[in-house]
């Protein structure tokens, strides 16, 4: 199973405020193995813009700290799975924990 996982980051660590992150770590996964990593600059924050931006990059899953309910709806409409409540870890460490199911995600939607 192939996945492209996006994590909003600031200096390589999960940025808890999804909509205002400076970059996204994009991590390609195949059969639970990380096969590629890329860092892309986030576009300026405009409500509703990030979900299609990431979907157009081929993202299948987003790991985030907090995210508004509307953003989650737009991601889901673009066939992107969203996992919120992630702990503030390095992007690669977060993806490894996600793949191994050793990290707990606590639903944490916000009103931004």
């Amino acid at each position: 199973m192939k996945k492209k996982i996006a994590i909003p980051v600031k200096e390589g660590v999960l940025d808890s405020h999804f909509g205002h992150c400076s970059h996204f770590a994009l991590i390609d996964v195949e059969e639970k193995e990380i096969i590629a990593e890329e860092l892309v600059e986030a576009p300026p924050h405009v409500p509703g813009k990030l979900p299609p931006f990431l979907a157009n990059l081929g993202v299948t899953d987003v790991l985030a700290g907090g995210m508004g309910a509307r953003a989650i709806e737009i991601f889901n409409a673009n066939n992107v799975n969203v996992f919120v409540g992630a702990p503030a870890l390095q992007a690669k460490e977060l993806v490894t924990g996600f793949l191994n199911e050793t990290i707990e995600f606590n639903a944490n939607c916000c009103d931004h």
Side-chain angles (χ1 to χ4, degrees):
M1 165 178 42
K2 289 186 176 184
K3 293 181 174 283
K4 182 178 282 248
I5 302 173
I7 301 101
V9 294
K10 181 178 182 180
E11 298 176 6
V13 176
L14 176 79
D15 187 335
S16 62
H17 194 11
F18 174 82
H20 297 283
C21 68
S22 62
H23 292 81
F24 287 98
L26 302 181
I27 299 182
D28 292 314
V29 173
E30 190 169 333
E31 302 302 327
K32 293 193 174 190
E33 296 280 334
I34 294 173
I35 59 171
E37 298 176 61
E38 177 183 8
L39 190 64
V40 297
E41 189 172 342
H45 181 255
V46 175
K49 184 173 184 167
L50 291 176
F53 168 77
L54 291 172
N56 287 335
L57 293 175
V59 169
T60 59
D61 300 90
V62 174
L63 309 182
M67 184 184 300
R70 181 69 182 128
I72 293 171
E73 289 174 17
I74 297 169
F75 271 120
N76 291 162
N78 282 279
N79 298 311
V80 176
N81 302 307
V82 177
F83 300 89
V84 294
L89 299 171
Q90 295 282 332
K92 192 171 179 179
E93 183 181 358
L94 186 57
V95 169
T96 299
F98 171 70
L99 295 172
N100 295 331
E101 299 178 14
T102 58
I103 290 180
E104 187 172 321
F105 291 84
N106 302 311
N108 180 26
C109 294
C110 58
D111 296 325
H112 310 340

